[in-house]
């Protein structure tokens, strides 16, 4: 029985915390694409060279919400790096037991920069 989409999405995040390059490479298909507000359809090699170095700073991912819908999983999480905390949401797509796409929607820094009940100007 193939692993669940959610389990594969969680394993990708765990690879960052564990600094396990072999684990993340085993999860990603050759056709892998990565999107974020600052990355548009990065291929596997570009993703690994641009994004994987962030694993050195990554210390945790704490799930706030996780949903699986067939070949897609959505995880909302709070993460910690050595120098800051933040909240993001990711949509992971799996085909043939491998991750083929991840879309990251950046959240905000923790603690929130805006005062409670207030806003800040978009820089």
């Amino acid at each position: 029985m193939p692993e669940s989409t959610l389990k594969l999405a969680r394993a990708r995040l765990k690879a960052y915390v564990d600094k396990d390059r072999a684990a993340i490479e085993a999860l990603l298909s050759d056709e892998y694409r990565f999107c974020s507000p600052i990355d548009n359809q990065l291929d596997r090699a570009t993703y690994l060279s641009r994004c994987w170095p962030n694993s050195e700073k990554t210390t945790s991912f704490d799930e706030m919400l996780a949903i699986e819908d067939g070949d897609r999983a959505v995880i909302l999480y709070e993460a910690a790096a050595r120098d800051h905390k933040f909240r993001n949401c990711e949509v992971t797509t799996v085909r043939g037991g491998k991750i083929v796409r991840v879309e990251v929607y950046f959240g905000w820094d923790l603690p929130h920069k805006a005062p409670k009940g207030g806003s800040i100007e978009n820089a």
Side-chain angles (χ1 to χ4, degrees):
M1 177 154 209
E3 295 206 55
S4 78
T5 301
L6 191 53
K7 185 172 182 179
L8 293 170
R10 287 174 171 147
R12 183 181 148 273
L13 297 176
K14 184 177 184 322
Y16 271 83
V17 174
D18 293 347
K19 307 345 176 207
D20 191 343
R21 172 81 182 235
I24 200 164
E25 287 188 18
L27 293 166
L28 305 180
S29 79
D30 291 339
E31 295 81 32
Y32 179 76
R33 292 294 180 266
F34 178 80
C35 296
S36 81
I38 59 172
D39 303 293
N40 188 6
Q41 301 288 334
L42 300 185
D43 64 21
R44 186 178 192 272
T46 305
Y47 166 78
L48 288 169
S49 68
R50 176 175 163 77
C51 302
W52 178 251
N54 290 321
S55 68
E56 289 305 314
K57 307 184 265 193
T58 305
T59 59
S60 68
F61 289 99
D62 296 319
E63 268 183 29
M64 310 301 292
L65 175 69
I67 300 168
E68 183 172 334
D69 181 25
D71 66 352
R72 290 182 303 173
V74 178
I75 300 177
L76 172 67
Y77 58 79
E78 289 185 358
R82 284 189 298 232
D83 56 350
H84 69 290
K85 290 184 177 184
F86 54 96
R87 182 180 282 192
N88 287 349
C89 184
E90 296 193 3
V91 179
T92 301
T93 304
V94 171
R95 271 189 230 107
K98 297 277 188 173
I99 297 172
V100 295
R101 181 179 176 89
V102 170
E103 297 174 29
V104 176
Y105 299 91
F106 295 163
W108 51 78
D109 291 334
L110 298 173
H112 204 296
K113 291 180 181 178
K116 191 169 187 173
S119 303
I120 57 174
E121 293 301 315
N122 192 5

